[in-house]
Every structure is written in structure tokens, then in C-alpha cells.
Amino acid sequence: IDADNVDKSAEVLRELIKEEPDNPTYYNDLGFVLADHGRKLDESEQLVRKALDLDAKLRKKLLAEDKIDKE
């Protein structure tokens, strides 16, 4: 992104999603990269929503395992 290469950034993030499909960070980053550059806005919204869903599931799991506090 710093080099203003949105296409390459999106490509890398899509590969990371393939490697770690349950990682909310990659979905969030890809969604915002696309949105911040006015690209594929419907897809970017879906990606951010998926990131939020995955993050909620991950937090619930970590809470159940006593790895994080409720706060």
C-alpha cells in the first residue's frame, strides 16, 4: 500500500486468506484496502463484515479457554 500498488496488496491479502481462512485481520485489511481506494465496495463491505464475525468467534473461543478476559 505504501508503494500505492493496490492490486498487489489485494493479491497478497487474498493469498493470505487462502492460507489462513479463519484469520479476521486479513479480511479486514483487504476490505479496507479496497474501500479506501473506491474499489469493489460491495465486496469490501462483505469482507469487513466477515472479519467482524470471525473476530467475534475467535474472542468467544479465547474467552472460553480463559486466554483473554471479558474486558
Side-chain angles (χ1 to χ4, degrees):
I1 290 298
D2 290 339
D4 200 32
N5 193 339
V6 177
D7 294 330
K8 182 63 177 177
S9 298
E11 179 185 326
V12 169
L13 286 163
R14 288 183 194 283
E15 287 299 317
L16 289 169
I17 288 171
K18 286 180 186 177
E19 292 174 18
E20 291 185 59
D22 295 329
N23 188 322
T25 301
Y26 301 144
Y27 291 93
N28 187 70
D29 289 353
L30 178 56
F32 276 97
V33 163
L34 294 174
D36 288 347
H37 292 86
R39 297 185 183 189
K40 301 181 181 182
L41 297 179
D42 288 339
E43 180 185 1
S44 68
E45 179 183 1
Q46 291 172 356
L47 289 162
V48 172
R49 289 184 185 276
K50 180 161 182 132
L52 291 169
D53 182 52
L54 288 172
D55 185 66
K57 290 177 184 175
L58 178 60
R59 288 178 185 270
K60 185 176 180 180
K61 178 184 175 222
L62 293 174
L63 183 61
E65 295 171 352
D66 288 325
K67 293 184 178 177
I68 61 172
D69 294 330
K70 191 172 185 175
E71 293 80 34

